[in-house]
Amino acid sequence: MTKSQDKFVTLAHGNGGRYMRELIDDVFKRHLANPHLNTNVDATLIDPGDGDILFTTDGFTVKPLEFPGGTIGSLAIHGTVNDLSVAGATAKFLSLNAFIEEGMAFEQLERIVADMAQAARQCQVEIVTGDTKVVPLKEGSGIYFATSGIGIKPRDIQLGMEKIKTGDKILISGSIGDHGTAVMLAREQFGLSGDLQSDAASVHPLTQAIRDLPGLRFMRDPTRGGLATVCAEICRNTQQGTYLFEAQIPIKEQVTAVCEMLGYDPYYLACEGRVLAVVAEQDTDEALHCWHQLNEGQDAAIIGEIIADDRRVILETELGGQRLLEELEDDPLPRIC
Amino acid sequence: MTKSQDKFVTLAHGNGGRYMRELIDDVFKRHLANPHLNTNVDATLIDPGDGDILFTTDGFTVKPLEFPGGTIGSLAIHGTVNDLSVAGATAKFLSLNAFIEEGMAFEQLERIVADMAQAARQCQVEIVTGDTKVVPLKEGSGIYFATSGIGIKPRDIQLGMEKIKTGDKILISGSIGDHGTAVMLAREQFGLSGDLQSDAASVHPLTQAIRDLPGLRFMRDPTRGGLATVCAEICRNTQQGTYLFEAQIPIKEQVTAVCEMLGYDPYYLACEGRVLAVVAEQDTDEALHCWHQLNEGQDAAIIGEIIADDRRVILETELGGQRLLEELEDDPLPRIC
């Protein structure tokens, strides 16, 4: 423990001096140690290896900081690993920024950083550079993270929304809305509770399993804004429509129940461990087969297709009607990721 | 302006939907546009070019967000560019994370992002990937940034604290403590004011001017914790001492005056545009000459040397006495960078 058994982070832990060094050494460096992490240098030498170099970043503000299925620490690893994975890459090196609120308990900080370290090991990524700031009480909220990631993509994998064609199929790797619902329940602000786990996880096994299929057009992890928002982005960028079949979309009973009680729409709820893939029809069965072989892809399903005669997100309901999924506007569910 | 002439950022601007897209397009993308920035992709393809690839990151929480000589926007560019520069590299690509507090005025956000964009152009770096989060009122403070940077270092430049030898000289590129003092004055919390400008700037012209000198051992920009903290790190990591001459250290009169009034020690105050360099004796004059040729290096000076018979930071005062500069402990001046 830093600063002679301090139990809480103080502003002195952010001033650049001895306490800050102890915080970094005793908490961050101890858990996150790897051959490339040297907290005495300004910039770290990396060798990404052969292939295209991809670069991405993500910020993390989830509340509560610990929730069933993860913490903000593992989420900060998975979120950035996933952005690289859906682009067809393998994540290699991460940077880490922590914005810690004065008064945060070291015990909780330790749990979060340990969870982060475990996630990094599982994903085989190294945190090679970092920075810590301590902000005064009420000018933060526990801890916020930002992670940037560098990954390598085989040069012959070329994915993108611009590759999407009419008739392509839309696949989802598992049930939607688990993360958003689990976080809401963990807040206990609605008098609800439950044992639903967040789906937060690395999607790399899922993306790696299908990324070499020639018919794979595009992948994305539906985080903030959920499935409906990814589909809206596809429509806006491709000038085509997405037609979804409600009956095919995997949603857990608990998620449906919570959404009905609170008036939320599961199609807009965040996932943190799912992949939406757009695949040419001839490779759809193979993609689904690949996913079904994985633990992470047991519930994978073909949920819709790309259409030409409408440029909106249309949901065919279980009763056979049609519902438009409009772009998300006033549905603020802050600090979900 | 986003969300139909909204004047303030709302939580809806962070929900992943239309308002967030408008915030990103209308503010961030409009100012920061460059050929590599595509806000529709999860990860951006970069080609750093030939040389060693260096990776770094920094977080920014300065208060006030705008101060004489800069804003948190330009600081977020300079800080990360500088970490790469002192490592001998040239910054190429940046990632950007913004944590915006609900209620922030769009007018101020625009000014800050425009200032950031100008700094990026001056530094010839591109922001190629980003993420924005909006946190509820009182769970942030205006805006925090994190930037990660990728730079390229010529392979034959090898710098590091481990190269430092007894007898090497310590150089500083300009006056110390300007940034810390300017930010303190800008807070107006002590009833003081003044026209002192922060030294916040890119140090790349300074580092580039001397990075090819064979006698250059190590460079660092003395930010949080100031000159004394960099010297303490040198001592701790090299098991040698640093001997500084107070009479040689450039400090502006205004900085000295403010420090005397408030009881601060200028040796611990942050700079954001200075370089400390350790240079072998035979190249010291050449290094100083290179710096004096530059606008940024007009006040450069040889301020001390590396000694073997003591492992501490010793300041020889103008009166000929000696003062130990201990490692910074309880001197919290939060949100200085």
Side-chain angles (χ1 to χ4, degrees):
Chain A
M1 201 60 80
T2 70
K3 204 181 161 195
S4 352
Q5 277 68 53
D6 264 3
K7 287 191 174 164
F8 302 96
V9 177
T10 67
L11 289 172
H13 287 103
N15 70 4
R18 182 164 71 86
Y19 295 138
M20 192 175 95
R21 181 166 52 80
E22 288 178 1
L23 165 70
I24 290 170
D25 286 352
D26 294 355
V27 182
F28 288 97
K29 198 171 156 185
R30 185 161 60 81
H31 287 287
L32 300 170
N34 66 67
H36 285 94
L37 182 62
N38 178 350
T39 55
N40 289 321
V41 298
D42 293 290
T44 305
L45 182 69
I46 56 166
D47 178 6
D50 254 359
D52 285 337
I53 301 177
L54 294 187
F55 189 31
T56 192
T57 198
D58 215 346
F60 302 89
T61 63
V62 68
K63 182 180 180 178
L65 302 174
E66 301 170 273
F67 50 84
T71 72
I72 193 169
S74 49
L75 196 65
I77 301 294
H78 293 141
T80 290
V81 164
N82 290 352
D83 282 347
L84 290 165
S85 297
V86 295
T90 300
K92 293 267 192 179
F93 303 106
L94 298 190
S95 68
L96 173 66
N97 287 90
F99 297 88
I100 308 175
E101 185 189 14
E102 176 188 18
M104 186 181 193
F106 271 107
E107 206 178 312
Q108 184 177 33
L109 181 62
E110 282 255 9
R111 283 199 305 271
I112 287 169
V113 176
D115 185 51
M116 165 179 276
Q118 193 186 8
R121 280 191 298 274
Q122 280 173 351
C123 296
Q124 296 181 279
V125 293
E126 291 177 338
I127 292 169
V128 296
T129 179
D131 185 60
T132 304
K133 292 284 184 287
V134 179
V135 296
L137 202 67
K138 306 271 183 209
E139 298 183 9
S141 178
I143 194 163
Y144 298 144
F145 286 120
T147 49
S148 294
I150 294 173
I152 289 294
K153 180 179 72 63
R155 288 185 216 280
D156 55 347
I157 295 177
Q158 301 283 345
L159 308 174
M161 273 196 266
E162 72 283 0
K163 309 229 170 248
I164 294 175
K165 294 193 175 71
T166 301
D168 288 349
K169 301 297 184 190
I170 301 168
L171 282 72
I172 190 89
S173 68
S175 57
I176 63 166
D178 297 17
H179 176 74
T181 309
V183 169
M184 273 199 288
L185 289 177
R187 289 184 193 165
E188 296 179 345
Q189 65 191 98
F190 303 109
L192 293 172
S193 64
D195 58 0
L196 184 73
Q197 296 265 315
S198 163
D199 56 284
S202 165
V203 301
H204 194 250
L206 291 160
T207 59
Q208 199 177 26
I210 65 168
R211 72 181 185 182
D212 291 320
L213 291 178
L216 179 65
R217 314 284 202 198
F218 169 76
M219 298 188 283
R220 178 154 289 175
D221 51 329
T223 58
R224 261 183 302 184
L227 173 64
T229 298
V230 176
C231 289
E233 284 174 36
I234 290 173
C235 294
R236 199 174 53 253
N237 285 287
T238 67
Q239 302 290 312
Q240 297 170 86
T242 55
Y243 196 92
L244 303 173
F245 302 97
E246 186 171 37
Q248 306 305 320
I249 301 174
I251 307 183
K252 294 208 168 108
E253 267 178 46
Q254 265 195 289
V255 173
T256 305
V258 169
C259 283
E260 281 174 3
M261 272 187 279
L262 300 180
Y264 282 105
D265 192 334
Y267 304 108
Y268 295 91
L269 288 184
C271 312
E272 287 291 344
R274 306 298 184 211
V275 180
L276 175 145
V278 181
V279 184
E281 190 171 8
Q282 72 271 15
D283 278 341
T284 305
D285 290 341
E286 177 63 17
L288 195 63
H289 176 75
C290 290
W291 276 0
H292 282 160
Q293 305 302 304
L294 299 171
N295 278 333
E296 298 90 337
Q298 293 297 304
D299 299 325
I302 302 165
I303 60 169
E305 62 188 38
I306 306 296
I307 56 171
D309 49 346
D310 199 309
R311 295 175 178 181
R312 297 174 297 177
V313 184
I314 299 164
L315 182 74
E316 186 179 298
T317 65
E318 303 208 36
L319 301 171
Q322 287 188 350
R323 189 185 141 202
L324 276 185
L325 298 181
E326 304 273 9
E327 199 173 4
L328 188 64
E329 291 201 352
D330 267 325
D331 186 355
L333 191 66
R335 300 189 57 187
I336 205 73
C337 58
Chain B
M1 200 62 82
T2 69
K3 204 182 163 195
S4 352
Q5 278 68 51
D6 263 3
K7 287 192 174 165
F8 302 97
V9 177
T10 67
L11 289 171
H13 287 103
N15 70 4
R18 182 164 72 84
Y19 294 139
M20 191 175 95
R21 180 167 52 80
E22 288 178 0
L23 166 70
I24 291 170
D25 286 352
D26 294 354
V27 181
F28 288 97
K29 199 171 155 185
R30 186 160 60 81
H31 287 286
L32 301 170
N34 66 66
H36 285 95
L37 182 62
N38 177 351
T39 55
N40 289 322
V41 298
D42 293 290
T44 306
L45 182 69
I46 57 166
D47 179 5
D50 253 0
D52 285 339
I53 300 176
L54 293 187
F55 189 30
T56 191
T57 199
D58 214 346
F60 303 89
T61 62
V62 68
K63 182 181 182 177
L65 302 175
E66 301 170 274
F67 51 83
T71 72
I72 194 170
S74 49
L75 196 66
I77 301 294
H78 293 141
T80 290
V81 165
N82 290 353
D83 282 348
L84 290 165
S85 297
V86 295
T90 300
K92 294 268 193 179
F93 303 106
L94 298 189
S95 67
L96 172 67
N97 287 90
F99 297 89
I100 308 174
E101 185 190 13
E102 176 187 16
M104 187 181 193
F106 270 107
E107 207 178 312
Q108 184 177 34
L109 181 62
E110 282 254 9
R111 283 198 305 272
I112 288 169
V113 176
D115 185 53
M116 165 178 277
Q118 193 187 6
R121 280 190 298 272
Q122 281 173 352
C123 296
Q124 297 181 278
V125 293
E126 291 177 338
I127 293 170
V128 296
T129 178
D131 186 59
T132 304
K133 293 284 185 287
V134 179
V135 297
L137 201 67
K138 307 270 181 210
E139 298 184 9
S141 177
I143 194 163
Y144 298 143
F145 285 121
T147 49
S148 294
I150 295 174
I152 289 295
K153 182 178 69 65
R155 287 185 217 281
D156 55 348
I157 295 177
Q158 300 284 345
L159 307 174
M161 274 196 267
E162 72 284 0
K163 310 229 169 249
I164 293 174
K165 294 193 175 71
T166 301
D168 288 350
K169 301 296 183 189
I170 302 168
L171 282 72
I172 191 89
S173 67
S175 58
I176 62 167
D178 298 16
H179 177 73
T181 309
V183 168
M184 272 198 289
L185 290 177
R187 288 184 193 164
E188 296 178 345
Q189 66 190 98
F190 304 109
L192 293 172
S193 64
D195 58 359
L196 184 73
Q197 295 265 316
S198 163
D199 56 283
S202 166
V203 301
H204 194 250
L206 292 160
T207 58
Q208 199 177 25
I210 65 168
R211 73 182 185 183
D212 291 320
L213 291 177
L216 179 65
R217 314 285 202 200
F218 169 75
M219 298 188 284
R220 177 154 291 173
D221 52 330
T223 58
R224 260 183 302 185
L227 173 65
T229 298
V230 176
C231 289
E233 284 173 35
I234 291 173
C235 295
R236 201 175 52 253
N237 285 287
T238 68
Q239 302 291 310
Q240 297 170 87
T242 55
Y243 196 90
L244 303 174
F245 302 97
E246 187 172 37
Q248 306 305 320
I249 301 175
I251 307 183
K252 293 207 169 110
E253 269 178 43
Q254 264 195 289
V255 172
T256 305
V258 169
C259 283
E260 282 175 2
M261 272 187 281
L262 300 180
Y264 281 106
D265 193 334
Y267 305 108
Y268 294 91
L269 288 184
C271 311
E272 287 291 343
R274 306 299 183 211
V275 180
L276 176 146
V278 181
V279 184
E281 190 172 8
Q282 71 271 13
D283 278 341
T284 304
D285 290 341
E286 177 64 18
L288 194 63
H289 176 75
C290 290
W291 276 359
H292 281 160
Q293 305 301 305
L294 300 171
N295 278 333
E296 297 91 338
Q298 293 297 304
D299 300 325
I302 302 166
I303 60 169
E305 61 188 40
I306 306 296
I307 57 172
D309 50 344
D310 200 309
R311 295 176 177 179
R312 296 173 298 177
V313 184
I314 299 164
L315 181 75
E316 187 179 297
T317 66
E318 304 208 35
L319 300 172
Q322 287 188 351
R323 190 186 139 202
L324 276 185
L325 298 181
E326 305 272 10
E327 199 173 2
L328 188 65
E329 292 201 347
D330 266 326
D331 186 354
L333 191 64
R335 300 189 56 188
I336 205 74
C337 57

